[in-house]
């Protein structure tokens, strides 16, 4: 409560002055500091390391770390802090701050909003549809893509060598169509998860001899939720066992109603193998495109989405970009995701060098500094400086997001991810007593991975023999893995580290149980079961109001203990008034992690300022309990 005493004076007239003596049990003596120095406000980037912050504030890293500890942040020199945190520290050290690039930020907002203006633009012209193919494995997605491509290459380009750049463009009836050639809904959902709406029309492929399968259902769900127009390609009609009516029946039961049955979904019978029905399919696609009036303005700066990207040994970062509007030109400055660069060379899907690419064209681009991610949006600039700044800004934002996201995963988190329809990856670290069991576990997990439906994958970050150590836990924390121990136990340091960072470490003595639990998590069966566990009880003995109107209470711990990270349940006359997190827990002026029974402490609650003398507070945490099986 009293950590800032004496500091406010340094800023000269700051509102923190009044804090002196505000907290209960304050023993701090106000430190007399030098008279306030009038300085220019410093500008701080959105994210910086502790060392960088120390540099900017012309002080030592230790000083910064000390300040951070006061707000309960344990940091090292390399730790990243966000602007808000850094600003607080700076303020404590007597600096006025502002956020660097705030002027630039509005530029970023301007540019990002360019993305939304499309339809109302009077210069818009009809553009080719961008089409994705989805469906169950072996129903002929790849074959259909190949068949469409080989029979309909644009005039004069036949015979060129097909390059797989993630998308291609063909011509039919003198009009262009763009196909994304990573079939399956992983790519589709991954893009959507990144906020990129790439697809204009989805083709759902169903093999006429096989019918609707689990992945077909999933694909329908994804297409519907993305509200993308759908065309059903009933494939393999050349086979004697083909039964197109059965497909229509099955799909209509899922509210994918064929047009000829009064619905609004076109069904086209095709044979990707024989090249039958392909022209019909293309015609239908063009009709759907017309109905949806797909347009874009070709005469402005290009923007779009990264379809795929890789590092190429001799060419450096190479990205396939789908231009969604505008025209991409050689030498344009491109910002893709968090990277940027000037377009040094462009190629179309036949490997031909091109100088410009208009709306709906896929184009392979060289010249980016780094490899962007599939699904990243891109924008173009004439000016190198603006491009670089935007890339830096995006990269800083991403670091902030990463800071927030980079929390350890639990086996049961996977359940939520699967439920939300996100592609989930379960990363594991396996520690086992002997090589024999390790091999058996690895094989079984590998098998499990192969048997798994799309959507969940398992990746082994480390498999080794020996006890679970602190370094295993650290690896798990940084890679977002869980640790599976077989016939081993953690050493003390590992146990402590796992508790501290919240890594899920599980132990087994029966291989089958290990595999079974992983399998359940992967199939989304392992819903977590929680129960509240009481840590301790305390009573409010006095209350204080801080200058910012927060109320903190002086507590006496009656029973158990009060851990800093537990939840507080405020009870007054036996009824629950409030339940929520702890904002501050102090002994005298120091932040503490825990206070035991028989001691006094100071407590502030997150979002509750109505503590009264005599209130009882129960401290508790949620604990995952074994599921009844
Ligand atoms: P994907 O897993 O959906 O990409 O399916 P593929 O395109 O790899 O096709 C799976 C299998 O079905 C391959 O052996 C194809 O040759 C075959 N296939 C695809 N389309 C047809 C078709 O129209 N008729 C027949 N008879 N076989 C097909």
């Amino acid at each position: 409560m009293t950590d800032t005493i004496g500091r406010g004076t340094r800023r000269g007239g700051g509102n923190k002055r009044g804090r002196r003596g505000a907290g209960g049990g304050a023993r701090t003596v106000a430190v007399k500091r030098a008279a306030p120095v009038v300085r220019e406000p410093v500008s701080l980037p959105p994210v910086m390391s502790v060392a960088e912050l120390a540099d900017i504030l012309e002080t030592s890293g230790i000083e910064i770390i000390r300040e951070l500890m006061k707000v309960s942040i344990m940091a090292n020199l390399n730790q990243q802090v966000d602007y808000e945190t850094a600003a607080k520290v700076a303020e404590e050290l007597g600096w006025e701050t502002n956020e660097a690039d705030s002027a630039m930020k509005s530029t970023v907002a301007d540019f990002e909003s360019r993305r939304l203006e499309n339809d109302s633009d009077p210069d818009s012209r009809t553009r080719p549809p961008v089409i994705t193919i989805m469906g169950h494995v072996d129903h002929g997605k790849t074959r259909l893509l190949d068949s469409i491509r080989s029979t309909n290459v644009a005039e004069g380009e036949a015979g060129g060598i097909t390059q797989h750049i993630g998308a291609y463009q063909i011509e039919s009836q003198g009009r262009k169509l763009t196909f994304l050639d990573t079939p399956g809904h992983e790519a589709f959902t991954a893009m959507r998860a990144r906020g990129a709406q790439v697809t204009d029309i989805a083709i759902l492929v169903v093999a006429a001899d096989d019918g609707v399968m689990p992945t077909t259902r999933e694909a329908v769900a994804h297409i519907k939720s993305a509200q993308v127009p759908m065309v059903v390609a009933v494939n393999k009609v050349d086979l004697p066992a083909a039964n197109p009516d059965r497909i229509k029946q099955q799909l209509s039961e899922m509210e994918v109603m064929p047009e000829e049955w009064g619905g609004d979904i076109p069904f086209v019978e095709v044979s990707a193998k024989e090249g039958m029905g392909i022209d019909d399919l293309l015609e239908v696609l063009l009709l759907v495109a017309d109905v949806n009036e797909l347009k874009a303005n070709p005469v402005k700066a290009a923007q779009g989405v990264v379809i795929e990207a890789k590092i190429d040994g001799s060419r450096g970062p190479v990205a396939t970009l789908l231009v969604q509007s505008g025209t991409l030109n050689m030498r344009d400055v491109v910002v893709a995701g968090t990277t940027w660069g000037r377009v040094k060379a462009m190629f179309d899907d036949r490997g031909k060098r091109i100088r410009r690419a208009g709306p709906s064209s896929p184009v392979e681009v060289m010249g980016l500094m780094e490899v962007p991610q599939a699904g990243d949006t891109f924008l173009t600039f004439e000016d190198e400086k603006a491009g670089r700044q935007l890339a830096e800004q995006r990269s800083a934002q991403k670091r902030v997001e990463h800071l927030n996201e980079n929390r350890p995963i639990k086996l049961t988190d996977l359940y939520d991810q699967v439920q939300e329809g996100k592609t989930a990856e379960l990363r594991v670290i396996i520690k086992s007593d002997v090589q024999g069991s390790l091999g058996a576990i690895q094989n079984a997990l590998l098998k499990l991975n192969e048997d798994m439906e799309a959507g969940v994958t398992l990746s082994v970050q480390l498999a080794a023999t020996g006890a679970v150590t602190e370094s295993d836990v650290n690896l798990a924390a940084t890679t977002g893995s869980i640790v599976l121990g077989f016939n081993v136990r953690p050493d003390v340091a590992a146990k402590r580290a796992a508790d501290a960072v919240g890594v899920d470490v599980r132990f087994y003595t029966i291989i089958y149980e290990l595999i079974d639990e992983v399998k359940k998590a992967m199939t989304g069966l392992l819903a977590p079961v929680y129960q509240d566990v009481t840590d301790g009880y305390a009573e409010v003995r006095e209350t204080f109001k801080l200058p910012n109107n927060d109320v903190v209470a002086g507590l006496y711990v009656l029973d158990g203990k009060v851990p800093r990270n537990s939840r507080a349940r405020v009870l007054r006359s036996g009824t629950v008034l409030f339940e929520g997190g702890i904002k501050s827990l102090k002994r005298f002026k120091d932040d503490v992690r825990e206070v035991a029974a028989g001691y006094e402490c100071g407590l502030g609650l997150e979002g509750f300022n109505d503590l009264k003398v005599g209130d009882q507070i129960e401290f508790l945490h949620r604990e995952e309990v074994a599921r009844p099986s």
Side-chain angles (χ1 to χ4, degrees), residues 118 121-125 295-301 324-327 359:
N118 267 347
D121 191 333
D123 292 330
S124 283
R125 303 276 172 277
K295 288 187 170 165
N297 177 355
V299 293
K300 58 179 191 177
Q324 290 182 298
S325 69
T327 296

Side-chain angles (χ1 to χ4, degrees), residues 23 183 201 220 222 230 290 323 339 343 358 362 386 391 401-402 468 475 511-512 533 535 538 568 579:
I201 308 172
V220 168
H222 287 303
M230 187 190 324
D290 288 341
V323 179
T339 184
V343 178
E401 283 160 21
H402 185 69
V468 174
L475 179 68
I511 292 186
Y512 168 76
V533 179
D535 297 309
E579 195 169 305

